[in-house]
């Protein structure tokens, strides 16, 4: 029987406010690009790696550690999450190539479709914060760090991709606004139900795989794209170290 909800009920939504603000910061920086962006992205990649490997996976294993054909369910779902994110990205690229589209070609609808996909993704970010809160307060904080850290990139990319394909500035701002509100909606949706602990572990394992894919295939390459710098690498290592420190203090 689910425990009665008290004053803590809206906590995931309050945490998701951080995601809302960070998304807007990312969009604002995209609007006025600075050359410190690579450091922020490098740090975000390190924070995500730290949260997934040092916090999310250990928790997911504890919640869903029973084995399926010799492998813990949580780790199986971690691999599935990574593969799913990779498959979605590759299938979108294949479709684009099949339509004979030059990546440089500016079709406004492509920008809007990509931005809409970002909004769906950000909804799932908020959803994960809400589910993590059902595991416990510390878990919610860990997931929130991973989400908020990469929301800078989410907001940055949503604004950039919309305007890159020739959409007017107010359209890019509208998509940015939707992307910023999506985590709030995702977190709020989890107030409507309670998942059994085992399912939470499975979902968090899956979400960890998605996060690690984003960090390794999008965020870190983007961090080093324009400025291959040692300082960016150091920010990534510092991000991992920070999470280790926080996890150790909480244990
Ligand atoms: Zn995100």
């Amino acid at each position: 029987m689910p425990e009665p909800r008290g004053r803590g009920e809206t906590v995931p939504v309050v945490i998701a406010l951080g995601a809302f603000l960070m998304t807007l910061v990312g969009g604002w920086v995209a609007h006025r690009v600075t050359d410190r962006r690579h450091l922020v992205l490098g740090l975000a990649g390190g924070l995500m790696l730290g949260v997934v490997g040092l916090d999310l996976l250990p928790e997911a294993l504890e919640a869903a550690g029973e084995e399926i054909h010799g492998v813990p369910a949580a780790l199986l779902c971690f691999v599935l999450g990574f593969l799913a994110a990779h498959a979605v990205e590759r299938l979108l690229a294949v479709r684009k190539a099949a339509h004979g589209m030059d990546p440089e070609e500016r079709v406004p609808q492509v920008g809007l479709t990509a931005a809409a996909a970002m909004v769906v993704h950000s909804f799932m970010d908020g959803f994960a914060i809400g589910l993590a809160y059902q595991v416990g307060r510390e878990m919610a904080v860990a997931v929130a760090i991973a989400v908020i850290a990469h929301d800078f990139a989410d907001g940055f990319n949503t604004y950039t991709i919309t305007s890159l394909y020739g959409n007017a500035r107010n359209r890019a701002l509208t998509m940015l606004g939707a992307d910023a509100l999506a985590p709030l909606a995702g977190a709020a949706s989890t107030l409507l139900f309670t998942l059994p602990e085992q399912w939470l572990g499975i979902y968090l394992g899956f979400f960890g795989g998605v996060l690690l894919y984003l960090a390794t295939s999008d965020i870190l390459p983007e961090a080093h794209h324009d400025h291959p710098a040692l300082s960016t690498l150091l920010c990534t290592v510092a991000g991992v170290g920070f999470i280790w420190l926080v996890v150790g203090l909480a244990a």
Side-chain angles (χ1 to χ4, degrees):
M1 195 177 152
E3 48 184 278
R5 297 188 180 279
R7 269 177 303 169
E9 192 177 335
T10 53
V11 167
V13 181
V14 174
I15 294 175
L17 266 177
F20 169 78
L21 292 174
M22 195 52 129
T23 306
L24 292 183
V25 170
W28 181 78
V29 172
H31 184 54
R32 345 177 358 152
V33 185
T34 72
D35 40 80
R36 294 273 162 254
R37 180 172 87 84
H38 57 291
L39 295 180
V40 179
L41 289 171
L43 179 67
L47 289 173
M48 288 166 78
L49 173 61
V51 162
V52 169
L54 308 179
D55 205 358
L56 223 141
L57 282 183
E59 286 277 353
L61 270 172
E62 207 169 287
E66 70 288 349
E67 296 189 350
I68 300 175
H69 198 64
V71 177
L75 290 184
L76 206 55
C77 290
F78 165 75
V79 172
L80 283 178
F82 190 101
L83 273 180
H86 180 53
V88 167
E89 196 180 77
R90 287 302 93 201
L91 289 177
L92 288 177
V94 166
R95 242 186 89 203
K96 218 166 145 187
H99 288 85
M101 285 188 328
D102 177 358
E104 298 301 315
E105 194 186 333
R106 309 210 160 167
V107 182
Q109 279 70 27
V110 174
L112 287 181
T113 309
M118 290 299 299
V119 174
V120 173
H121 157 88
S122 295
F123 180 89
M124 296 314 289
D125 282 348
F127 190 74
I129 292 176
L131 288 190
Y133 186 72
Q134 292 185 11
V135 175
R137 212 169 268 256
E138 279 166 30
M139 196 63 216
V141 170
V143 170
I145 289 173
V147 167
I148 293 169
H150 86 271
D151 270 340
F152 175 84
D154 282 0
F156 187 94
N157 292 335
T158 302
Y159 183 91
T160 305
I161 214 157
T162 311
S163 50
L164 193 72
Y165 283 90
N167 290 288
R169 186 168 163 264
N170 60 356
R171 237 186 217 180
L173 286 175
T174 304
M175 293 316 285
L176 175 64
D179 189 49
L181 288 172
L184 291 175
S189 74
T190 64
L191 303 179
L192 305 174
F193 61 90
T194 309
L195 272 189
E197 194 189 0
Q198 193 191 347
W199 284 100
L200 293 173
I202 282 175
Y203 182 76
L204 290 175
F206 185 87
F207 187 68
V210 174
L211 278 179
L212 195 65
Y213 183 77
L214 288 179
T216 51
S217 90
D218 291 336
I219 303 211
L220 290 179
E222 201 174 321
H224 291 272
H225 185 251
D226 295 326
H227 304 255
L230 185 63
S231 50
T232 308
L233 186 60
L234 289 178
C235 279
T236 304
V237 174
V240 175
F242 174 76
I243 297 296
W244 189 14
L245 194 72
V246 170
V247 169
L249 287 176

